[in-house]
Amino acid sequence: DSFTKANPDAFDVEWEWEGRYWEVSYETGSRPNGIEHESWYDKEGTWIRTSTEVLISDVPKQIKDYLTADPKYGHGNYTDNDAEYIQTPSGNFYRFELRVDGVDVKVDVSPDGTVTFAKYDF
């Protein structure tokens, strides 16, 4: 019910139990080229987060500028043509996958330009 109320226009909906959460993959927009999303809900139906893939070219310029200006990550290269826009009850952010100094890293950038998380994959 929580999902249906929040996403009344969703189509191609698929549910899967992932340990502690329900993961629902779905599309919105117009068929056949809808926008793909993944949302997570706990067993009580509480929304945890939603992730939407966006092309790097569609990420707001100010977010890309914040990342470019960051001294640790700004010289990295995108490893993909897309990023994730992640929405949570506590705030939203963009997640980028970069190659920095030969190391893969995931970097989260909030709308105000703060790098809120970085995970290195050695």
Side-chain angles (χ1 to χ4, degrees):
D1 288 342
S2 298
F3 172 79
T4 302
K5 287 177 187 173
N7 302 282
D9 298 328
F11 60 94
D12 290 341
V13 178
E14 296 179 17
W15 290 86
E16 186 173 338
W17 180 250
E18 290 290 334
R20 295 179 22 207
Y21 301 108
W22 284 102
E23 180 182 320
V24 57
S25 301
Y26 60 100
E27 295 183 43
T28 60
S30 58
R31 294 178 190 244
N33 300 317
I35 299 169
E36 295 182 17
H37 310 273
E38 289 182 348
S39 292
W40 287 262
Y41 290 85
D42 67 15
K43 62 183 176 181
E44 287 80 30
T46 304
W47 173 68
I48 305 299
R49 78 178 216 176
T50 297
S51 174
T52 304
E53 278 192 20
V54 294
L55 294 173
I56 295 291
S57 60
D58 292 337
V59 172
K61 182 182 181 317
Q62 76 178 39
I63 299 294
K64 291 185 283 190
D65 289 349
Y66 290 141
L67 184 59
T68 301
D70 187 279
K72 286 185 181 177
Y73 310 109
H75 63 282
N77 296 311
Y78 300 115
T79 60
D80 228 338
N81 289 329
D82 54 31
E84 285 182 88
Y85 179 60
I86 300 175
Q87 300 166 285
T88 72
S90 61
N92 306 331
F93 57 91
Y94 286 87
R95 176 168 288 162
F96 299 91
E97 293 185 15
L98 304 172
R99 184 113 177 126
V100 180
D101 299 328
V103 178
D104 291 332
V105 60
K106 292 181 182 177
V107 179
D108 296 350
V109 180
S110 68
D112 71 357
T114 304
V115 173
T116 57
F117 174 79
K119 178 185 177 201
Y120 290 86
D121 292 330
F122 293 103

mmCIF file with all atom_site columns, all heavy atoms in Angstrom, residues 79 95-107 117-122:
data_model
loop_
_atom_site.group_PDB
_atom_site.id
_atom_site.type_symbol
_atom_site.label_atom_id
_atom_site.label_alt_id
_atom_site.label_comp_id
_atom_site.label_asym_id
_atom_site.label_entity_id
_atom_site.label_seq_id
_atom_site.pdbx_PDB_ins_code
_atom_site.Cartn_x
_atom_site.Cartn_y
_atom_site.Cartn_z
_atom_site.occupancy
_atom_site.B_iso_or_equiv
_atom_site.pdbx_formal_charge
_atom_site.auth_seq_id
_atom_site.auth_comp_id
_atom_site.auth_asym_id
_atom_site.auth_atom_id
_atom_site.pdbx_PDB_model_num
ATOM 1   N N   . THR A 1 79  ? 33.490 6.480  -14.150 1.00 0.00 ? 79  THR A N   1
ATOM 2   C CA  . THR A 1 79  ? 33.691 5.134  -14.680 1.00 0.00 ? 79  THR A CA  1
ATOM 3   C C   . THR A 1 79  ? 32.470 4.656  -15.455 1.00 0.00 ? 79  THR A C   1
ATOM 4   O O   . THR A 1 79  ? 32.496 3.575  -16.019 1.00 0.00 ? 79  THR A O   1
ATOM 5   C CB  . THR A 1 79  ? 34.013 4.125  -13.555 1.00 0.00 ? 79  THR A CB  1
ATOM 6   O OG1 . THR A 1 79  ? 32.923 4.104  -12.633 1.00 0.00 ? 79  THR A OG1 1
ATOM 7   C CG2 . THR A 1 79  ? 35.294 4.490  -12.840 1.00 0.00 ? 79  THR A CG2 1
ATOM 8   N N   . ARG A 1 95  ? 25.090 9.875  -6.315  1.00 0.00 ? 95  ARG A N   1
ATOM 9   C CA  . ARG A 1 95  ? 26.206 8.948  -6.114  1.00 0.00 ? 95  ARG A CA  1
ATOM 10  C C   . ARG A 1 95  ? 26.914 8.761  -7.452  1.00 0.00 ? 95  ARG A C   1
ATOM 11  O O   . ARG A 1 95  ? 26.306 8.372  -8.444  1.00 0.00 ? 95  ARG A O   1
ATOM 12  C CB  . ARG A 1 95  ? 25.733 7.610  -5.582  1.00 0.00 ? 95  ARG A CB  1
ATOM 13  C CG  . ARG A 1 95  ? 26.879 6.588  -5.461  1.00 0.00 ? 95  ARG A CG  1
ATOM 14  C CD  . ARG A 1 95  ? 26.478 5.379  -4.667  1.00 0.00 ? 95  ARG A CD  1
ATOM 15  N NE  . ARG A 1 95  ? 26.382 5.806  -3.255  1.00 0.00 ? 95  ARG A NE  1
ATOM 16  C CZ  . ARG A 1 95  ? 25.732 5.118  -2.320  1.00 0.00 ? 95  ARG A CZ  1
ATOM 17  N NH1 . ARG A 1 95  ? 25.119 3.993  -2.631  1.00 0.00 ? 95  ARG A NH1 1
ATOM 18  N NH2 . ARG A 1 95  ? 25.682 5.564  -1.083  1.00 0.00 ? 95  ARG A NH2 1
ATOM 19  N N   . PHE A 1 96  ? 28.221 9.040  -7.435  1.00 0.00 ? 96  PHE A N   1
ATOM 20  C CA  . PHE A 1 96  ? 29.051 8.901  -8.624  1.00 0.00 ? 96  PHE A CA  1
ATOM 21  C C   . PHE A 1 96  ? 30.053 7.784  -8.415  1.00 0.00 ? 96  PHE A C   1
ATOM 22  O O   . PHE A 1 96  ? 30.543 7.585  -7.307  1.00 0.00 ? 96  PHE A O   1
ATOM 23  C CB  . PHE A 1 96  ? 29.833 10.204 -8.874  1.00 0.00 ? 96  PHE A CB  1
ATOM 24  C CG  . PHE A 1 96  ? 28.970 11.400 -9.113  1.00 0.00 ? 96  PHE A CG  1
ATOM 25  C CD1 . PHE A 1 96  ? 28.580 12.206 -8.062  1.00 0.00 ? 96  PHE A CD1 1
ATOM 26  C CD2 . PHE A 1 96  ? 28.547 11.708 -10.391 1.00 0.00 ? 96  PHE A CD2 1
ATOM 27  C CE1 . PHE A 1 96  ? 27.788 13.318 -8.277  1.00 0.00 ? 96  PHE A CE1 1
ATOM 28  C CE2 . PHE A 1 96  ? 27.759 12.819 -10.618 1.00 0.00 ? 96  PHE A CE2 1
ATOM 29  C CZ  . PHE A 1 96  ? 27.373 13.628 -9.556  1.00 0.00 ? 96  PHE A CZ  1
ATOM 30  N N   . GLU A 1 97  ? 30.363 7.078  -9.490  1.00 0.00 ? 97  GLU A N   1
ATOM 31  C CA  . GLU A 1 97  ? 31.440 6.096  -9.467  1.00 0.00 ? 97  GLU A CA  1
ATOM 32  C C   . GLU A 1 97  ? 32.590 6.696  -10.252 1.00 0.00 ? 97  GLU A C   1
ATOM 33  O O   . GLU A 1 97  ? 32.436 7.043  -11.426 1.00 0.00 ? 97  GLU A O   1
ATOM 34  C CB  . GLU A 1 97  ? 30.975 4.770  -10.061 1.00 0.00 ? 97  GLU A CB  1
ATOM 35  C CG  . GLU A 1 97  ? 29.916 4.105  -9.204  1.00 0.00 ? 97  GLU A CG  1
ATOM 36  C CD  . GLU A 1 97  ? 29.514 2.735  -9.687  1.00 0.00 ? 97  GLU A CD  1
ATOM 37  O OE1 . GLU A 1 97  ? 30.232 2.135  -10.529 1.00 0.00 ? 97  GLU A OE1 1
ATOM 38  O OE2 . GLU A 1 97  ? 28.473 2.250  -9.214  1.00 0.00 ? 97  GLU A OE2 1
ATOM 39  N N   . LEU A 1 98  ? 33.733 6.847  -9.576  1.00 0.00 ? 98  LEU A N   1
ATOM 40  C CA  . LEU A 1 98  ? 34.900 7.491  -10.153 1.00 0.00 ? 98  LEU A CA  1
ATOM 41  C C   . LEU A 1 98  ? 36.115 6.580  -10.090 1.00 0.00 ? 98  LEU A C   1
ATOM 42  O O   . LEU A 1 98  ? 36.168 5.647  -9.287  1.00 0.00 ? 98  LEU A O   1
ATOM 43  C CB  . LEU A 1 98  ? 35.242 8.775  -9.380  1.00 0.00 ? 98  LEU A CB  1
ATOM 44  C CG  . LEU A 1 98  ? 34.175 9.833  -9.234  1.00 0.00 ? 98  LEU A CG  1
ATOM 45  C CD1 . LEU A 1 98  ? 34.658 10.923 -8.284  1.00 0.00 ? 98  LEU A CD1 1
ATOM 46  C CD2 . LEU A 1 98  ? 33.810 10.416 -10.577 1.00 0.00 ? 98  LEU A CD2 1
ATOM 47  N N   . ARG A 1 99  ? 37.085 6.898  -10.904 1.00 0.00 ? 99  ARG A N   1
ATOM 48  C CA  . ARG A 1 99  ? 38.417 6.284  -10.829 1.00 0.00 ? 99  ARG A CA  1
ATOM 49  C C   . ARG A 1 99  ? 39.347 7.421  -10.440 1.00 0.00 ? 99  ARG A C   1
ATOM 50  O O   . ARG A 1 99  ? 39.533 8.376  -11.198 1.00 0.00 ? 99  ARG A O   1
ATOM 51  C CB  . ARG A 1 99  ? 38.804 5.672  -12.160 1.00 0.00 ? 99  ARG A CB  1
ATOM 52  C CG  . ARG A 1 99  ? 40.111 4.948  -12.128 1.00 0.00 ? 99  ARG A CG  1
ATOM 53  C CD  . ARG A 1 99  ? 39.843 3.473  -12.340 1.00 0.00 ? 99  ARG A CD  1
ATOM 54  N NE  . ARG A 1 99  ? 41.088 2.745  -12.383 1.00 0.00 ? 99  ARG A NE  1
ATOM 55  C CZ  . ARG A 1 99  ? 41.325 1.713  -11.605 1.00 0.00 ? 99  ARG A CZ  1
ATOM 56  N NH1 . ARG A 1 99  ? 40.399 1.286  -10.788 1.00 0.00 ? 99  ARG A NH1 1
ATOM 57  N NH2 . ARG A 1 99  ? 42.460 1.079  -11.678 1.00 0.00 ? 99  ARG A NH2 1
ATOM 58  N N   . VAL A 1 100 ? 39.907 7.327  -9.214  1.00 0.00 ? 100 VAL A N   1
ATOM 59  C CA  . VAL A 1 100 ? 40.757 8.382  -8.674  1.00 0.00 ? 100 VAL A CA  1
ATOM 60  C C   . VAL A 1 100 ? 42.120 7.789  -8.356  1.00 0.00 ? 100 VAL A C   1
ATOM 61  O O   . VAL A 1 100 ? 42.220 6.867  -7.537  1.00 0.00 ? 100 VAL A O   1
ATOM 62  C CB  . VAL A 1 100 ? 40.135 9.007  -7.402  1.00 0.00 ? 100 VAL A CB  1
ATOM 63  C CG1 . VAL A 1 100 ? 41.037 10.101 -6.852  1.00 0.00 ? 100 VAL A CG1 1
ATOM 64  C CG2 . VAL A 1 100 ? 38.743 9.537  -7.686  1.00 0.00 ? 100 VAL A CG2 1
ATOM 65  N N   . ASP A 1 101 ? 43.141 8.290  -9.024  1.00 0.00 ? 101 ASP A N   1
ATOM 66  C CA  . ASP A 1 101 ? 44.506 7.804  -8.786  1.00 0.00 ? 101 ASP A CA  1
ATOM 67  C C   . ASP A 1 101 ? 44.597 6.287  -8.875  1.00 0.00 ? 101 ASP A C   1
ATOM 68  O O   . ASP A 1 101 ? 45.231 5.631  -8.051  1.00 0.00 ? 101 ASP A O   1
ATOM 69  C CB  . ASP A 1 101 ? 45.029 8.296  -7.431  1.00 0.00 ? 101 ASP A CB  1
ATOM 70  C CG  . ASP A 1 101 ? 45.090 9.817  -7.347  1.00 0.00 ? 101 ASP A CG  1
ATOM 71  O OD1 . ASP A 1 101 ? 45.323 10.452 -8.394  1.00 0.00 ? 101 ASP A OD1 1
ATOM 72  O OD2 . ASP A 1 101 ? 44.887 10.355 -6.237  1.00 0.00 ? 101 ASP A OD2 1
ATOM 73  N N   . GLY A 1 102 ? 43.910 5.701  -9.855  1.00 0.00 ? 102 GLY A N   1
ATOM 74  C CA  . GLY A 1 102 ? 43.962 4.268  -10.088 1.00 0.00 ? 102 GLY A CA  1
ATOM 75  C C   . GLY A 1 102 ? 43.070 3.432  -9.197  1.00 0.00 ? 102 GLY A C   1
ATOM 76  O O   . GLY A 1 102 ? 43.127 2.209  -9.231  1.00 0.00 ? 102 GLY A O   1
ATOM 77  N N   . VAL A 1 103 ? 42.236 4.076  -8.372  1.00 0.00 ? 103 VAL A N   1
ATOM 78  C CA  . VAL A 1 103 ? 41.370 3.364  -7.441  1.00 0.00 ? 103 VAL A CA  1
ATOM 79  C C   . VAL A 1 103 ? 39.919 3.732  -7.727  1.00 0.00 ? 103 VAL A C   1
ATOM 80  O O   . VAL A 1 103 ? 39.598 4.901  -7.946  1.00 0.00 ? 103 VAL A O   1
ATOM 81  C CB  . VAL A 1 103 ? 41.723 3.726  -5.978  1.00 0.00 ? 103 VAL A CB  1
ATOM 82  C CG1 . VAL A 1 103 ? 40.792 3.029  -5.002  1.00 0.00 ? 103 VAL A CG1 1
ATOM 83  C CG2 . VAL A 1 103 ? 43.171 3.378  -5.678  1.00 0.00 ? 103 VAL A CG2 1
ATOM 84  N N   . ASP A 1 104 ? 39.027 2.720  -7.706  1.00 0.00 ? 104 ASP A N   1
ATOM 85  C CA  . ASP A 1 104 ? 37.595 2.972  -7.876  1.00 0.00 ? 104 ASP A CA  1
ATOM 86  C C   . ASP A 1 104 ? 37.020 3.480  -6.566  1.00 0.00 ? 104 ASP A C   1
ATOM 87  O O   . ASP A 1 104 ? 37.327 2.949  -5.496  1.00 0.00 ? 104 ASP A O   1
ATOM 88  C CB  . ASP A 1 104 ? 36.863 1.701  -8.298  1.00 0.00 ? 104 ASP A CB  1
ATOM 89  C CG  . ASP A 1 104 ? 37.233 1.265  -9.706  1.00 0.00 ? 104 ASP A CG  1
ATOM 90  O OD1 . ASP A 1 104 ? 37.597 2.135  -10.522 1.00 0.00 ? 104 ASP A OD1 1
ATOM 91  O OD2 . ASP A 1 104 ? 37.171 0.057  -9.990  1.00 0.00 ? 104 ASP A OD2 1
ATOM 92  N N   . VAL A 1 105 ? 36.189 4.505  -6.658  1.00 0.00 ? 105 VAL A N   1
ATOM 93  C CA  . VAL A 1 105 ? 35.582 5.086  -5.464  1.00 0.00 ? 105 VAL A CA  1
ATOM 94  C C   . VAL A 1 105 ? 34.161 5.529  -5.786  1.00 0.00 ? 105 VAL A C   1
ATOM 95  O O   . VAL A 1 105 ? 33.877 5.997  -6.889  1.00 0.00 ? 105 VAL A O   1
ATOM 96  C CB  . VAL A 1 105 ? 36.427 6.268  -4.917  1.00 0.00 ? 105 VAL A CB  1
ATOM 97  C CG1 . VAL A 1 105 ? 36.568 7.370  -5.931  1.00 0.00 ? 105 VAL A CG1 1
ATOM 98  C CG2 . VAL A 1 105 ? 35.886 6.804  -3.623  1.00 0.00 ? 105 VAL A CG2 1
ATOM 99  N N   . LYS A 1 106 ? 33.252 5.309  -4.832  1.00 0.00 ? 106 LYS A N   1
ATOM 100 C CA  . LYS A 1 106 ? 31.888 5.818  -4.923  1.00 0.00 ? 106 LYS A CA  1
ATOM 101 C C   . LYS A 1 106 ? 31.827 7.061  -4.063  1.00 0.00 ? 106 LYS A C   1
ATOM 102 O O   . LYS A 1 106 ? 32.233 7.031  -2.892  1.00 0.00 ? 106 LYS A O   1
ATOM 103 C CB  . LYS A 1 106 ? 30.883 4.778  -4.442  1.00 0.00 ? 106 LYS A CB  1
ATOM 104 C CG  . LYS A 1 106 ? 30.791 3.579  -5.340  1.00 0.00 ? 106 LYS A CG  1
ATOM 105 C CD  . LYS A 1 106 ? 29.774 2.584  -4.835  1.00 0.00 ? 106 LYS A CD  1
ATOM 106 C CE  . LYS A 1 106 ? 29.779 1.372  -5.764  1.00 0.00 ? 106 LYS A CE  1
ATOM 107 N NZ  . LYS A 1 106 ? 28.880 0.331  -5.299  1.00 0.00 ? 106 LYS A NZ  1
ATOM 108 N N   . VAL A 1 107 ? 31.326 8.148  -4.633  1.00 0.00 ? 107 VAL A N   1
ATOM 109 C CA  . VAL A 1 107 ? 31.288 9.422  -3.930  1.00 0.00 ? 107 VAL A CA  1
ATOM 110 C C   . VAL A 1 107 ? 29.860 9.951  -3.951  1.00 0.00 ? 107 VAL A C   1
ATOM 111 O O   . VAL A 1 107 ? 29.238 10.033 -5.012  1.00 0.00 ? 107 VAL A O   1
ATOM 112 C CB  . VAL A 1 107 ? 32.237 10.445 -4.592  1.00 0.00 ? 107 VAL A CB  1
ATOM 113 C CG1 . VAL A 1 107 ? 32.173 11.782 -3.874  1.00 0.00 ? 107 VAL A CG1 1
ATOM 114 C CG2 . VAL A 1 107 ? 33.658 9.924  -4.624  1.00 0.00 ? 107 VAL A CG2 1
ATOM 115 N N   . PHE A 1 117 ? 29.859 10.999 1.645   1.00 0.00 ? 117 PHE A N   1
ATOM 116 C CA  . PHE A 1 117 ? 30.280 9.605  1.768   1.00 0.00 ? 117 PHE A CA  1
ATOM 117 C C   . PHE A 1 117 ? 31.247 9.305  0.639   1.00 0.00 ? 117 PHE A C   1
ATOM 118 O O   . PHE A 1 117 ? 31.083 9.794  -0.478  1.00 0.00 ? 117 PHE A O   1
ATOM 119 C CB  . PHE A 1 117 ? 29.069 8.692  1.653   1.00 0.00 ? 117 PHE A CB  1
ATOM 120 C CG  . PHE A 1 117 ? 29.399 7.214  1.632   1.00 0.00 ? 117 PHE A CG  1
ATOM 121 C CD1 . PHE A 1 117 ? 29.690 6.529  2.806   1.00 0.00 ? 117 PHE A CD1 1
ATOM 122 C CD2 . PHE A 1 117 ? 29.428 6.522  0.439   1.00 0.00 ? 117 PHE A CD2 1
ATOM 123 C CE1 . PHE A 1 117 ? 29.986 5.182  2.778   1.00 0.00 ? 117 PHE A CE1 1
ATOM 124 C CE2 . PHE A 1 117 ? 29.728 5.164  0.401   1.00 0.00 ? 117 PHE A CE2 1
ATOM 125 C CZ  . PHE A 1 117 ? 30.010 4.489  1.581   1.00 0.00 ? 117 PHE A CZ  1
ATOM 126 N N   . ALA A 1 118 ? 32.248 8.513  0.928   1.00 0.00 ? 118 ALA A N   1
ATOM 127 C CA  . ALA A 1 118 ? 33.141 8.015  -0.108  1.00 0.00 ? 118 ALA A CA  1
ATOM 128 C C   . ALA A 1 118 ? 33.559 6.612  0.292   1.00 0.00 ? 118 ALA A C   1
ATOM 129 O O   . ALA A 1 118 ? 33.948 6.365  1.427   1.00 0.00 ? 118 ALA A O   1
ATOM 130 C CB  . ALA A 1 118 ? 34.355 8.910  -0.254  1.00 0.00 ? 118 ALA A CB  1
ATOM 131 N N   . LYS A 1 119 ? 33.437 5.680  -0.649  1.00 0.00 ? 119 LYS A N   1
ATOM 132 C CA  . LYS A 1 119 ? 33.822 4.301  -0.388  1.00 0.00 ? 119 LYS A CA  1
ATOM 133 C C   . LYS A 1 119 ? 34.813 3.870  -1.469  1.00 0.00 ? 119 LYS A C   1
ATOM 134 O O   . LYS A 1 119 ? 34.504 3.921  -2.660  1.00 0.00 ? 119 LYS A O   1
ATOM 135 C CB  . LYS A 1 119 ? 32.610 3.370  -0.425  1.00 0.00 ? 119 LYS A CB  1
ATOM 136 C CG  . LYS A 1 119 ? 32.994 1.924  -0.213  1.00 0.00 ? 119 LYS A CG  1
ATOM 137 C CD  . LYS A 1 119 ? 31.822 0.995  -0.364  1.00 0.00 ? 119 LYS A CD  1
ATOM 138 C CE  . LYS A 1 119 ? 32.311 -0.433 -0.210  1.00 0.00 ? 119 LYS A CE  1
ATOM 139 N NZ  . LYS A 1 119 ? 31.424 -1.386 -0.787  1.00 0.00 ? 119 LYS A NZ  1
ATOM 140 N N   . TYR A 1 120 ? 35.981 3.468  -1.023  1.00 0.00 ? 120 TYR A N   1
ATOM 141 C CA  . TYR A 1 120 ? 37.015 3.008  -1.940  1.00 0.00 ? 120 TYR A CA  1
ATOM 142 C C   . TYR A 1 120 ? 36.885 1.518  -2.160  1.00 0.00 ? 120 TYR A C   1
ATOM 143 O O   . TYR A 1 120 ? 36.641 0.761  -1.220  1.00 0.00 ? 120 TYR A O   1
ATOM 144 C CB  . TYR A 1 120 ? 38.407 3.319  -1.373  1.00 0.00 ? 120 TYR A CB  1
ATOM 145 C CG  . TYR A 1 120 ? 38.727 4.786  -1.370  1.00 0.00 ? 120 TYR A CG  1
ATOM 146 C CD1 . TYR A 1 120 ? 38.336 5.600  -0.319  1.00 0.00 ? 120 TYR A CD1 1
ATOM 147 C CD2 . TYR A 1 120 ? 39.417 5.352  -2.426  1.00 0.00 ? 120 TYR A CD2 1
ATOM 148 C CE1 . TYR A 1 120 ? 38.632 6.962  -0.316  1.00 0.00 ? 120 TYR A CE1 1
ATOM 149 C CE2 . TYR A 1 120 ? 39.714 6.703  -2.430  1.00 0.00 ? 120 TYR A CE2 1
ATOM 150 C CZ  . TYR A 1 120 ? 39.317 7.499  -1.378  1.00 0.00 ? 120 TYR A CZ  1
ATOM 151 O OH  . TYR A 1 120 ? 39.615 8.841  -1.382  1.00 0.00 ? 120 TYR A OH  1
ATOM 152 N N   . ASP A 1 121 ? 37.057 1.092  -3.404  1.00 0.00 ? 121 ASP A N   1
ATOM 153 C CA  . ASP A 1 121 ? 37.056 -0.325 -3.751  1.00 0.00 ? 121 ASP A CA  1
ATOM 154 C C   . ASP A 1 121 ? 38.468 -0.703 -4.162  1.00 0.00 ? 121 ASP A C   1
ATOM 155 O O   . ASP A 1 121 ? 38.889 -0.502 -5.294  1.00 0.00 ? 121 ASP A O   1
ATOM 156 C CB  . ASP A 1 121 ? 36.092 -0.605 -4.908  1.00 0.00 ? 121 ASP A CB  1
ATOM 157 C CG  . ASP A 1 121 ? 34.631 -0.404 -4.510  1.00 0.00 ? 121 ASP A CG  1
ATOM 158 O OD1 . ASP A 1 121 ? 34.312 -0.609 -3.334  1.00 0.00 ? 121 ASP A OD1 1
ATOM 159 O OD2 . ASP A 1 121 ? 33.852 -0.033 -5.387  1.00 0.00 ? 121 ASP A OD2 1
ATOM 160 N N   . PHE A 1 122 ? 39.242 -1.202 -3.205  1.00 0.00 ? 122 PHE A N   1
ATOM 161 C CA  . PHE A 1 122 ? 40.634 -1.580 -3.485  1.00 0.00 ? 122 PHE A CA  1
ATOM 162 C C   . PHE A 1 122 ? 40.697 -2.955 -4.076  1.00 0.00 ? 122 PHE A C   1
ATOM 163 O O   . PHE A 1 122 ? 39.941 -3.814 -3.820  1.00 0.00 ? 122 PHE A O   1
ATOM 164 C CB  . PHE A 1 122 ? 41.462 -1.541 -2.194  1.00 0.00 ? 122 PHE A CB  1
ATOM 165 C CG  . PHE A 1 122 ? 41.620 -0.157 -1.657  1.00 0.00 ? 122 PHE A CG  1
ATOM 166 C CD1 . PHE A 1 122 ? 40.879 0.284  -0.573  1.00 0.00 ? 122 PHE A CD1 1
ATOM 167 C CD2 . PHE A 1 122 ? 42.508 0.715  -2.250  1.00 0.00 ? 122 PHE A CD2 1
ATOM 168 C CE1 . PHE A 1 122 ? 41.031 1.557  -0.069  1.00 0.00 ? 122 PHE A CE1 1
ATOM 169 C CE2 . PHE A 1 122 ? 42.666 1.993  -1.750  1.00 0.00 ? 122 PHE A CE2 1
ATOM 170 C CZ  . PHE A 1 122 ? 41.911 2.420  -0.654  1.00 0.00 ? 122 PHE A CZ  1
#
